[in-house]
Amino acid sequence: MTITSRHNPLVARFRDAARGDAGAMMLLDGAHLVADALAARVVVTLGAVTQASAAKPDIHELVARLSQRGVSVATVTTAVMDAISPVRTPSGIVALAERPARRAQDVYPAPSPLVVVAVDVQDPGNLGAIVRVAEAAGATGVVAAGASANPFGWKALRGSMGSALRVPILGGDPRAAIDAARAHRCRIVATIPRAGRTPFDLDLTGPVVLLIGGEGAGLPETLVQTADERVTIPMRPPVESLNAAVTAAVVLYEARRQRLADNRPLMIADC
């Protein structure tokens, strides 16, 4: 049976998840995210696919894997998929899944956690990119603090390219995040636009928490004052600042370089 009505209750469930109104549920849009969720053992609860997409070999296999795990996959018309999917050009398959449940010890594993605390990063694409680069550079976790976007919203999930399904992520108040970092004996490194030390002059080994500020305003001065170190990425004028995700990437990869004590090069993967 194919669902043909936009007023079907199933449509409302997907749209609630897309808006972030579905509690602990998140919307996975596209074959890549659905496949990543299955690989990460995320609990998928419901799927929807168009008939045309289901005929494609890769999506047909994905639907079979969902069915093997007991996930109901509804067939919908293209018009219904347009209503379900929040993206401009729907991919043809979407799913609902439970957000991964994480604890502080997941984000701060012994002996040397490397954690990114994103403070008031309101653009979901930027936040997703920060999560992506955190995983790529070997960070142990991310905290989406303050007024940051929902890291499990559909835009942030797409921006993370599935990393949010694997990297431990917490939320909460920035002060509470700093208190948690202190409790795990982490040094606090705050990114500031000028007058800080370069990341190449800092010791980024050992337990470290990197504070990244939001678009425009950056980190609140009250948080900067709590930091053990302040880091500024050197830039040629007239450039005065970098995107939050780019800033995170530069510092995290320097931390990664320092942590590779045996000097083995990073594995190069196809982009």
Side-chain angles (χ1 to χ4, degrees), residues 43-57:
V43 178
V44 181
T45 61
L46 179 65
V49 65
T50 62
Q51 193 167 19
S53 294
K56 298 177 181 178

Side-chain angles (χ1 to χ4, degrees), residues 10 14 44-48 63 66-67 69-75 94-95:
L10 176 144
F14 280 97
V44 181
T45 61
L46 179 65
V63 170
L66 289 168
S67 298
R69 294 197 185 180
V71 180
S72 175
V73 181
T75 302
V94 295

Side-chain angles (χ1 to χ4, degrees), residues 118-184:
V119 180
D120 300 337
V121 178
Q122 298 180 359
D123 183 277
N126 281 347
L127 184 61
I130 288 172
V131 175
R132 179 69 167 171
V133 78
E135 181 180 35
T140 57
V142 174
V143 179
S148 289
N150 177 3
F152 298 108
W154 70 269
K155 285 185 179 180
L157 282 171
R158 286 172 68 88
S160 81
M161 293 292 291
S163 290
L165 304 174
R166 298 181 292 268
V167 174
I169 301 175
L170 299 176
D173 178 77
R175 290 283 185 178
I178 290 174
D179 289 343
R182 296 287 188 203
H184 288 86

